Amino acid sequence: MKKDNKSDNQRPYKLSHQKICLTGVNFEKKSIIGYVDLTIHPLRADLKRLKINFKQGRIYRICINDQWEAAFLYNDPTQEICQGEAKQRNLDFFQNCHLSAMNAVDADSVNGEVTIKLPPETHPLIAELRPFRLCIEYSLEDPKGGIHFVVPEMSGDMADIGAHMFTYGHENSSRLWFPCIDSYCEPCTWKIEITVDRDMTAVSCGDLIEAVYSPCLMKKTFHYYMSTPVSAPNIAIAIGPFEIFVDPNMHEVTHFCLPHLSGILKHTTSYIHEAFEFYEELLSSRYPYSYYKQVFVDESYADAMSYATMTIFSTNLLHSSRIIDQTFMTRTLMAKAVAQQFFGTFISMHTWSDAWLPKGIAGYLSMLFIKKTFGNNEFRYVIARKLKEVSEHENKVGGIVLDPTKKESNLHFSAKNSHTVSPRHAAMFSQKAMLVMRILEFRIGTELLLQALNKLLSLAYNASQQKYVSNTWVNMLLSTSSFSKIISTVTGKDILPFLEQWVYQSGCARFYGNFVFNRKRNVVELEIKQDNSVKGALKYVGPLTVTIQELDGSFNHTFKIEENKTKFEITCHSKSRRNKKKKIPLMTGEEVDMDLSAMDADSPVLWLRVDPELNTLRQCAWEQPDYMWQYQLRYERDVVAQKEAIEALYKYGTPATRLALTDTIENDSCYYRIRLDACECLASVANSMVSNWAGPPAMMTIFRKTFGSHSCPSIIRQNNFNNFQHYYLLKTMPKAMARLRNIHNICPMEVMKFLMDLFKYNDNSKNKYSDNYYRAALIEALSLTITPAVATVTVSSQGISTEYLSADMKLILEECTRCLNLEKLLPCYRHTVTVSCIKLIRTMQKYGHLPNDSEIFQCYATYGVFRDVRVAALSCLVDFVRSESNQIMFDWLLDLVEYDPDPFIRHTVLMMFVDNPPFKKGEYSPMNTTELVDRLWNLMNSLLCSDSRLRCGVTDLYHTLYGRTRPFCLPIPENMMVLNLKQRTTMLNPSVVPEKLQDQMFEDELEVEENVKRAAFGTDVEKSGQKRKADSPLLEAKSKFESSFVEFVRAGSMDNSQASESNPAKQIKLDEEGQKSKVIQKQPSEAQDDRSHLSEDSSSPTHSQSSQSVATPAAQSSQSVDILCNLSGPSTPLPMDLSRTPVGTVPLMSGESSSKSHKSKKKKKKNKHKHKHKHRHDKSRDEEKMSKDRASSEQRESEQSNSNLAPLTTLKSPPSSPEFEVM
């Protein structure tokens, strides 16, 4: 399955094996320390450099074969996307910089944050193309992403309080917790060693070989070995005091949970063996690994995160046998996680442009499991719902391109990199990939598609059993081209047209049309149109199926759609209804009696459907008379057809519609989800008929007939949820009835009394299932009865008074208070009742029955409260900010986004603001300030560099508030140059170091480094290329590292004059046009104290005086001199707070510039601006003048650098503003 890809051809080396050894995991300080060992196979004899991915950590030493130390540079432009830029605030500019920065460290493009120069001693090995080992010693302290420590604020031993940690990430984010080649296209074998406290358990990918106790019996080391090649993004670890449960039905499966949860763990995972059996039988292939592990953790990044041989789940998915609602969600997620073991980890994507294949195949397989487990009705209902969600998203936001290599979608973000994609887009991307895979199943057939998947697994399994040889494991990678070749081999069909339509293009087809019956010719004249003017529309060309239900049966017709407007004629098989009454045959073969009095006497057509099997990505607006929709709802057996009929009947408020909906609700043979939808529709139809309806409230009679006591129908029977259809109907009907309104647009008194009686007579004492979701539904029903108040309640000096509340509102508030107090004493599963009560209080506030007060929600939203309760309270606060324009609460919520310990909560708040923004684009609001613009810009520009999902979430919020242009609340700077950003070809990024300069940087810095170390320690330092032994922090005491490191920093800062005389530092300068780079001299007094992303053979680009930071003796023997990208500025002290500036978070540009230089730059830009607007010179004169200025400035630079008598001053402003582009 090899793919012709540039990244595969460009990489001059291959990875065959990697070892991860974590020797120290500290929960108190949230730090880890260890090393990685990579076995590299050079593919070229002239290999000089390696590029490795690693972020937010500290590298102590890099060794080759445990003999020679290697110098390295650290350069991460993603730390600050728009570096040093202070003018641009539009998303087009940010998008270009974001994609450029991500590509600069993308492993698929043979890039990385760490560039390693191989020492000369390794050249003979490389010339013979012999493999070598690359050892990197590193540490992490208080990481901001990629690895999460959950440490409860309690006293006691870490194991006793349930402290644990686990890794997470968005797509390929393993670089956040260990050095690696963070690409899916570099699979290798793995050995993982994790040393933890004796009361802890370490879970990782692969087979557990052994667990060895230390001599003191206080520690133990877990040894895992992964013999099947796996890429770095599919590696994870979890450490905690887990309880272990081996699956009794499959001993290869092991489950891990936190203390005291083993009881519900056993029930939750009791069916998992069924998923394995189903997939193995379906694919005719065994599970590709030896073992499978499920780890349930708290504060998870997502509900389920799949890795090789293991999946990390949220603890909130666990449930007991008494819970009904959670069972469906948990089983679906766990089944999909097993499917991702086949396609996602064992067979992974080749590049990001191929991500639609493993995501789509895994989703397709999980949907087949749903079909087998929950039935065909559930399967088709879920497919219809997901299709609607995707089409609505593309209609609202824009089209989704599954493979963006040929076409870039016109969105506010780039879809060409996984770390620049919007979170909502990513979710819809997976759903669309699954739907496209299902369309492919329809095109080539289920059996042939499964044969192709089996072929993929067979090739991958054979490759995984072989030892490393160049391109041996390429069959474990899946690409669009290789997939099309496999399909062609198995089926003999070319799917290129299919790919061109659904994979390389974006959008869904938008159909709308109608039909008329021509009695004279006995034909149906059908007209189908496509609307390509709306956002996310796709011009569909291909087959389309139309199904007509006639008096003599159901008939399918397939038409070829080629134009935007197409007319067809369909000859009917039936004659008009003039004969005696007879039974009507349906599509299923069933014959039913119908009351045909409502239909046209001359037409034999009962109803008509477009694309009944959902074999096209489409939206369809179909027009037909209301009686046809009613017939379709009553007699069509397909749940999708029934769902479409219910959605259409919202527009027809007639007694016939009401009767059809009522009959559907009462029909026990009808699928339960259709009955629930019918309840919602009936409430809407009843409200439209309220002026001419004299009977009891809708559904009241049905409810009492179904659930009322035999002796007294007005009193509900004791709860018995053995019939799940009745259980869901029992939950939904009160909420639907609560939407009923009388002619005064308030809830009828009969309904209010009915709901209060449900609370009063609720008895769950003899029910084997929990009624927490039912009670929560009743509280939601109370909130739906609330209508705007006539008079607004105010807060008196004595507090909130209820004397102004109406009688109904008093009853609702009393019931809410009672339920909340009961919850504190006897909390229910997942606090569902508390969640509903919080939302009820906010509804009463919003409609004026209670004063607007955010304090209660703020208490429930603080860290430490259960996640579901926090989410409910936060949604109320977001709505409060929107309605009240409360700046203080808005800032508090943004603080949560920035600082909350739970990454899921941070992401959730952002998505809430995207759905319910504090103000709309272009509208005036007191919260629409320059401070908000700057804060959001800083968040997505630099502060959230360790979590791409959060960064892209802030980008979505920024786009929601301001669009893609510059926010209008910002003043236009006087010296701002207006640029056409849409015609940009390249944007210079000062931290992206050109390849041709890296060798010179290594050589210059090695020489400077040796002299600086002599100045600091007064000792001779061995030349580069000789064997240098640096003590490892894995062996030394931590306090020794800290003291020696801090002393060296202080010594270097005090003695910079001595270093400046002998060893001037080199510096990169990028000229205005970005066409060439120069290396010029700079005084070490400036270089000594400036900050940079680039370091060579050092512990980190930053320095720390914190007693909790981890230092190293390697800093004593080799200390970097930073390579700077700013030419001027006084010497500034080094940042000493590691918690604020860890490795990978240091801004590239140096701090302040000299006042003289700053004024000269400002004056120059201002004059340039004036000149541009006051006069219009031709292009040739401008170019001539610029070339003269450049030549004179270069001459002054060379004179000044040669004299070397005084510090350099800035001749041109640094290349961080938008003026510096390659046009």
Side-chain angles (χ1 to χ4, degrees):
M1 292 182 288
K2 184 176 180 181
K3 178 180 177 182
D4 294 328
N5 192 291
K6 291 183 178 180
S7 65
D8 187 55
N9 296 330
Q10 287 179 353
R11 194 182 300 278
Y13 51 89
K14 283 290 184 180
L15 179 65
S16 65
H17 180 75
Q18 181 162 351
K19 177 182 178 181
I20 303 176
C21 183
L22 302 183
T23 58
V25 179
N26 193 318
F27 282 91
E28 291 88 351
K29 297 175 181 178
K30 298 182 180 180
S31 65
I32 63 174
I33 191 168
Y35 69 89
V36 296
D37 214 342
L38 295 86
T39 302
I40 304 292
H41 290 254
L43 302 181
R44 290 198 332 227
D46 59 345
L47 181 63
K48 295 294 192 298
R49 288 188 301 269
L50 303 174
K51 291 198 172 181
I52 301 296
N53 300 107
F54 186 52
K55 292 188 67 169
Q56 71 173 352
R58 179 175 282 134
I59 293 179
Y60 297 110
R61 188 176 63 158
I62 298 179
C63 285
I64 309 296
N65 288 347
D66 296 329
Q67 296 180 1
W68 310 289
E69 284 195 40
F72 67 92
L73 294 173
Y74 183 87
N75 176 37
D76 184 9
T78 65
Q79 313 257 319
E80 188 176 358
I81 300 299
C82 307
Q83 300 197 4
E85 194 283 321
K87 301 175 184 176
Q88 295 288 353
R89 286 294 185 270
N90 65 77
L91 282 184
D92 283 332
F93 176 76
F94 180 83
Q95 172 186 337
N96 285 282
C97 295
H98 195 189
L99 181 61
S100 174
M102 287 301 172
N103 288 338
V105 294
D106 186 15
D108 288 339
S109 303
V110 203
N111 290 322
E113 293 84 356
V114 181
T115 303
I116 303 169
K117 182 179 180 181
L118 299 176
E121 291 84 355
T122 62
H123 294 174
L125 289 174
I126 296 172
E128 299 174 6
L129 300 183
R130 292 166 56 188
F132 59 88
R133 288 186 301 103
L134 180 71
C135 182
I136 304 175
E137 299 173 3
Y138 75 100
S139 69
L140 288 174
E141 186 169 356
D142 194 17
K144 305 303 179 185
I147 188 167
H148 186 52
F149 288 85
V150 181
V151 183
E153 297 180 356
M154 301 166 58
S155 60
D157 185 74
M158 286 297 158
D160 295 337
I161 64 176
H164 59 286
M165 60 86 75
F166 56 92
T167 57
Y168 67 90
H170 175 70
E171 299 301 337
N172 54 328
S173 298
S174 291
R175 69 190 73 184
L176 292 172
W177 65 278
F178 72 98
C180 60
I181 300 178
D182 202 3
S183 170
Y184 287 97
C185 65
E186 280 294 331
C188 67
T189 57
W190 296 80
K191 191 174 190 309
I192 303 172
E193 299 178 1
I194 308 171
T195 301
V196 296
D197 293 338
R198 64 179 182 180
D199 296 329
M200 294 285 186
T201 301
V203 187
S204 188
C205 303
D207 303 340
L208 178 62
I209 305 302
E210 59 180 348
V212 182
Y213 279 88
S214 63
C216 63
L217 300 181
M218 298 299 293
K219 302 276 187 181
K220 59 180 175 181
T221 302
F222 291 82
H223 296 260
Y224 288 90
Y225 184 73
M226 189 80 193
S227 59
T228 303
V230 170
S231 55
N234 288 323
I235 297 297
I237 62 171
I239 302 173
F242 298 122
E243 294 184 0
I244 304 172
F245 172 64
V246 178
D247 196 289
N249 298 299
M250 284 187 67
H251 299 305
E252 299 88 352
V253 180
T254 309
H255 313 285
F256 300 84
C257 69
L258 295 173
H260 314 300
L261 297 177
S262 59
I264 56 177
L265 173 72
K266 294 177 182 179
H267 173 76
T268 304
T269 60
S270 60
Y271 87 102
I272 194 65
H273 66 282
E274 298 178 9
F276 281 95
E277 294 170 359
F278 172 77
Y279 292 131
E280 290 180 344
E281 181 180 355
L282 181 71
L283 298 170
S284 300
S285 177
R286 288 188 58 81
Y287 173 66
Y289 302 115
S290 302
Y291 296 96
Y292 179 62
K293 299 171 281 289
Q294 293 190 140
V295 187
F296 293 85
V297 299
D298 194 17
E299 298 182 12
S300 62
Y301 187 72
D303 285 337
M305 298 174 288
S306 293
Y307 302 96
T309 74
M310 69 179 292
T311 303
I312 297 178
F313 291 103
S314 170
T315 300
N316 298 337
L317 298 179
L318 296 174
H319 59 87
S320 69
S321 59
R322 289 174 50 82
I323 304 301
I324 299 175
D325 300 61
Q326 185 64 43
T327 303
F328 298 96
M329 182 186 303
T330 300
R331 292 194 176 185
T332 301
L333 284 171
M334 294 174 68
K336 185 176 182 180
V338 175
Q340 288 171 340
Q341 294 296 309
F342 290 88
F343 291 92
T345 60
F346 182 62
I347 297 181
S348 61
M349 70 185 83
H350 195 285
T351 63
W352 170 244
S353 60
D354 309 311
W356 72 276
L357 280 166
K359 293 180 183 295
I361 295 174
Y364 166 74
L365 294 176
S366 66
M367 290 304 300
L368 293 182
F369 179 81
I370 289 177
K371 183 178 181 179
K372 181 255 183 184
T373 306
F374 302 126
N376 185 60
N377 285 339
E378 178 71 10
F379 168 75
R380 291 185 57 79
Y381 191 93
V382 173
I383 289 291
R385 186 187 67 207
K386 290 182 180 294
L387 176 59
K388 183 179 179 181
E389 291 173 355
V390 170
S391 59
E392 289 179 348
H393 175 84
E394 292 194 307
N395 192 20
K396 178 181 178 182
V397 178
I400 301 174
V401 183
L402 294 182
D403 188 341
T405 53
K406 294 187 177 182
K407 178 184 177 181
E408 176 68 272
S409 55
N410 186 26
L411 301 171
H412 65 276
F413 55 87
S414 174
K416 292 186 176 181
N417 190 289
S418 60
H419 297 284
T420 61
V421 173
S422 162
R424 289 285 170 83
H425 179 93
M428 292 296 109
F429 178 92
S430 299
Q431 287 194 22
K432 183 174 182 178
M434 181 272 296
L435 293 172
V436 168
M437 197 60 59
R438 186 175 172 275
I439 297 174
L440 180 62
E441 175 199 23
F442 169 72
R443 296 289 176 89
I444 67 175
T446 304
E447 293 299 325
L448 291 178
L449 178 58
L450 293 177
Q451 287 180 24
L453 298 183
N454 173 263
K455 183 70 173 177
L456 291 173
L457 290 169
S458 299
L459 292 173
Y461 182 78
N462 292 336
S464 68
Q465 300 304 307
Q466 301 177 22
K467 294 185 178 180
Y468 172 80
V469 182
S470 181
N471 293 331
T472 302
W473 298 327
V474 72
N475 282 340
M476 304 184 69
L477 304 175
L478 187 57
S479 65
T480 304
S481 61
S482 64
F483 181 71
S484 62
K485 291 177 183 177
I486 290 290
I487 294 293
S488 178
T489 302
V490 173
T491 66
K493 298 180 181 180
D494 182 16
I495 63 169
L496 183 59
F498 170 83
L499 297 176
E500 291 288 346
Q501 185 169 53
W502 298 116
V503 177
Y504 297 128
Q505 292 190 63
S506 63
C508 294
R510 314 282 173 178
F511 295 123
Y512 63 98
N514 53 27
F515 70 95
V516 293
F517 176 70
N518 190 323
R519 183 175 59 86
K520 292 182 179 180
R521 300 171 56 198
N522 196 36
V523 297
V524 173
E525 297 175 352
L526 182 69
E527 184 182 52
I528 298 177
K529 302 177 183 178
Q530 291 191 66
D531 185 6
N532 297 327
S533 61
V534 297
K535 185 184 295 185
L538 169 71
K539 182 179 179 180
Y540 176 72
V541 176
L544 186 68
T545 302
V546 176
T547 300
I548 296 183
Q549 176 66 50
E550 303 179 23
L551 294 175
D552 290 344
S554 182
F555 304 94
N556 291 332
H557 304 271
T558 302
F559 303 102
K560 179 71 174 178
I561 303 295
E562 295 179 348
E563 302 294 335
N564 290 340
K565 183 178 179 180
T566 311
K567 292 185 177 181
F568 305 101
E569 289 186 353
I570 305 175
T571 302
C572 291
H573 297 74
S574 311
K575 297 296 182 179
S576 59
R577 183 177 55 85
R578 299 186 184 274
N579 302 325
K580 61 180 181 179
K581 185 177 180 182
K582 62 178 181 179
K583 291 189 176 182
I584 309 298
L586 303 178
M587 176 67 78
T588 59
E590 178 186 1
E591 293 186 354
V592 296
D593 292 322
M594 293 188 188
D595 181 7
L596 304 178
S597 59
M599 68 177 294
D600 184 1
D602 295 329
S603 172
V605 179
L606 292 173
W607 65 81
L608 187 146
R609 297 179 61 199
V610 177
D611 187 28
E613 297 301 321
L614 306 176
N615 293 324
T616 307
L617 293 181
R618 85 303 190 269
Q619 268 189 342
C620 187
W622 193 248
E623 296 180 8
Q624 61 185 15
D626 59 342
Y627 70 86
M628 290 189 177
W629 292 117
Q630 294 161 12
Y631 282 145
Q632 183 172 323
L633 174 60
R634 287 176 181 270
Y635 302 111
E636 179 63 79
R637 297 298 181 248
D638 181 22
V639 294
V640 177
Q642 294 172 335
K643 181 177 174 61
E644 291 172 350
I646 290 175
E647 291 173 353
L649 288 175
Y650 273 92
K651 299 181 295 183
Y652 302 101
T654 62
T657 299
R658 184 166 182 154
L659 181 60
L661 293 169
T662 302
D663 291 343
T664 302
I665 296 172
E666 291 181 311
N667 187 1
D668 284 338
S669 63
C670 185
Y671 187 52
Y672 83 98
R673 288 190 183 274
I674 299 301
R675 299 172 71 183
L676 305 186
D677 293 341
C679 291
E680 304 290 342
C681 182
L682 180 56
S684 176
V685 170
N687 287 336
S688 64
M689 300 173 57
V690 65
S691 60
N692 53 12
W693 182 261
M699 294 172 280
M700 181 76 75
T701 305
I702 303 174
F703 188 92
R704 288 176 174 170
K705 177 182 176 182
T706 308
F707 304 107
S709 175
H710 297 294
S711 58
C712 183
S714 60
I715 298 178
I716 189 174
R717 294 197 295 262
Q718 285 185 322
N719 294 339
N720 183 1
F721 298 159
N722 289 326
N723 187 325
F724 289 169
Q725 287 209 31
H726 284 179
Y727 165 70
Y728 281 102
L729 204 61
L730 178 66
K731 288 198 313 173
T732 304
M733 289 182 69
K735 292 195 291 185
M737 294 173 64
R739 289 188 169 92
L740 296 175
R741 298 292 181 265
N742 57 20
I743 57 175
H744 302 293
N745 201 28
I746 61 175
C747 186
M749 287 298 298
E750 302 97 318
V751 175
M752 286 295 302
K753 184 177 184 304
F754 164 75
L755 293 176
M756 288 301 173
D757 285 344
L758 291 182
F759 280 100
K760 181 178 180 181
Y761 297 113
N762 180 43
D763 182 2
N764 203 59
S765 58
K766 295 183 179 180
N767 190 13
K768 69 176 183 178
Y769 296 104
S770 172
D771 68 339
N772 64 300
Y773 283 99
Y774 169 61
R775 289 186 287 126
L778 293 182
I779 297 173
E780 291 177 18
L782 287 182
S783 66
L784 292 173
T785 63
I786 300 174
T787 53
V790 178
T792 304
V793 178
T794 58
V795 182
S796 64
S797 59
Q798 299 178 352
I800 299 177
S801 175
T802 60
E803 61 185 31
Y804 298 102
L805 289 176
S806 64
D808 292 343
M809 292 303 105
K810 285 183 179 180
L811 290 175
I812 292 175
L813 187 59
E814 289 174 1
E815 190 62 39
C816 178
T817 305
R818 184 187 70 83
C819 291
L820 270 179
N821 292 334
L822 184 62
E823 272 282 277
K824 293 183 180 299
L825 298 175
L826 298 171
C828 65
Y829 176 73
R830 295 193 69 159
H831 299 274
T832 53
V833 174
T834 301
V835 169
S836 297
C837 289
I838 291 173
K839 294 178 179 179
L840 170 63
I841 294 172
R842 177 58 197 157
T843 303
M844 295 187 70
Q845 289 183 356
K846 190 160 53 174
Y847 287 123
H849 299 284
L850 291 177
N852 276 319
D853 184 12
S854 62
E855 184 178 356
I856 181 174
F857 309 121
Q858 203 168 354
C859 293
Y860 280 112
T862 55
Y863 179 71
V865 180
F866 183 70
R867 177 179 284 182
D868 289 3
V869 178
R870 293 191 72 191
V871 170
L874 289 169
S875 66
C876 296
L877 288 175
V878 169
D879 185 69
F880 175 82
V881 170
R882 169 67 177 163
S883 61
E884 299 298 316
S885 297
N886 191 300
Q887 182 67 48
I888 297 177
M889 189 51 57
F890 188 33
D891 292 338
W892 188 82
L893 291 172
L894 289 180
D895 288 340
L896 283 185
V897 172
E898 192 170 350
Y899 303 114
D900 195 85
D902 190 344
F904 177 85
I905 291 296
R906 302 168 71 185
H907 167 70
T908 302
V909 174
L910 278 177
M911 293 300 100
M912 288 176 179
F913 274 130
V914 172
D915 293 334
N916 188 17
F919 54 86
K920 294 182 179 179
K921 177 185 174 182
E923 79 175 8
Y924 171 78
S925 172
M927 294 182 291
N928 187 4
T929 62
T930 57
E931 290 78 9
L932 175 61
V933 176
D934 291 338
R935 181 167 190 179
L936 294 179
W937 185 269
N938 290 333
L939 282 173
M940 66 185 187
N941 187 39
S942 59
L943 297 181
L944 299 178
C945 61
S946 296
D947 193 333
S948 57
R949 185 177 74 171
L950 270 181
R951 171 177 264 170
C952 294
V954 177
T955 306
D956 285 351
L957 176 58
Y958 196 91
H959 177 259
T960 303
L961 298 179
Y962 305 112
R964 299 173 66 166
T965 59
R966 180 182 173 87
F968 72 91
C969 63
L970 293 179
I972 300 178
E974 295 181 0
N975 58 347
M976 179 178 178
M977 179 180 292
V978 181
L979 300 174
N980 186 359
L981 295 169
K982 292 186 178 180
Q983 297 180 359
R984 165 181 283 102
T985 56
T986 303
M987 178 64 198
L988 279 180
N989 194 326
S991 67
V992 179
V993 182
E995 288 282 340
K996 60 183 180 181
L997 291 182
Q998 291 185 359
D999 285 335
Q1000 172 135 13
M1001 291 161 57
F1002 274 116
E1003 295 172 2
D1004 295 340
E1005 288 305 306
L1006 283 174
E1007 183 181 354
V1008 173
E1009 174 202 341
E1010 294 167 3
N1011 292 319
V1012 169
K1013 285 184 280 190
R1014 290 194 191 97
F1017 297 105
T1019 58
D1020 292 336
V1021 181
E1022 299 174 1
K1023 298 285 186 180
S1024 175
Q1026 298 178 352
K1027 183 177 179 181
R1028 295 179 294 171
K1029 296 190 66 175
D1031 294 332
S1032 170
L1034 308 177
L1035 307 175
E1036 291 280 350
K1038 183 171 177 289
S1039 59
K1040 179 180 178 181
F1041 306 152
E1042 295 171 348
S1043 60
S1044 60
F1045 185 69
V1046 174
E1047 288 175 4
F1048 169 68
V1049 173
R1050 293 173 178 170
S1053 62
M1054 291 187 297
D1055 202 18
N1056 54 18
S1057 60
Q1058 180 179 354
S1060 65
E1061 294 177 0
S1062 58
N1063 298 294
K1066 299 287 185 179
Q1067 187 177 30
I1068 297 176
K1069 177 181 180 300
L1070 303 175
D1071 63 355
E1072 283 186 27
E1073 295 180 353
Q1075 296 174 347
K1076 56 185 177 179
S1077 301
K1078 300 180 181 180
V1079 179
I1080 64 174
Q1081 299 285 340
K1082 179 180 175 182
Q1083 294 297 330
S1085 59
E1086 299 175 1
Q1088 181 77 13
D1089 293 327
D1090 284 345
R1091 293 176 290 174
S1092 171
H1093 287 298
L1094 308 175
S1095 77
E1096 175 260 320
D1097 198 16
S1098 69
S1099 60
S1100 72
T1102 58
H1103 310 280
S1104 174
Q1105 68 180 359
S1106 171
S1107 61
Q1108 295 182 355
S1109 63
V1110 182
T1112 172
Q1116 303 175 15
S1117 61
S1118 61
Q1119 174 63 29
S1120 70
V1121 176
D1122 296 337
I1123 300 177
L1124 307 178
C1125 293
N1126 194 8
L1127 292 176
S1128 65
S1131 63
T1132 56
L1134 286 166
M1136 302 299 288
D1137 187 359
L1138 180 65
S1139 63
R1140 295 185 180 179
T1141 57
V1143 174
T1145 59
V1146 185
L1148 174 72
M1149 307 304 294
S1150 64
E1152 306 170 355
S1153 59
S1154 63
S1155 58
K1156 184 176 180 180
S1157 173
H1158 178 71
K1159 291 178 180 179
S1160 65
K1161 287 190 292 183
K1162 187 173 181 181
K1163 184 176 181 182
K1164 180 177 178 180
K1165 289 184 179 179
K1166 188 174 182 180
N1167 293 337
K1168 190 174 181 181
H1169 180 74
K1170 290 180 178 179
H1171 179 76
K1172 178 177 179 180
H1173 289 278
K1174 287 185 178 181
H1175 306 286
R1176 297 180 178 271
H1177 298 286
D1178 60 352
K1179 186 176 181 181
S1180 59
R1181 292 180 59 187
D1182 289 341
E1183 291 178 349
E1184 182 180 358
K1185 180 173 177 58
M1186 290 175 64
S1187 63
K1188 289 181 179 180
D1189 293 342
R1190 189 163 57 252
S1192 61
S1193 63
E1194 289 175 356
Q1195 183 178 0
R1196 288 197 300 272
E1197 289 175 7
S1198 60
E1199 291 174 357
Q1200 208 161 16
S1201 62
N1202 290 334
S1203 61
N1204 199 19
L1205 296 176
L1208 286 174
T1209 58
T1210 301
L1211 303 178
K1212 297 182 180 69
S1213 56
S1216 58
S1217 71
E1219 298 173 336
F1220 299 91
E1221 302 180 9
V1222 179
M1223 301 298 290

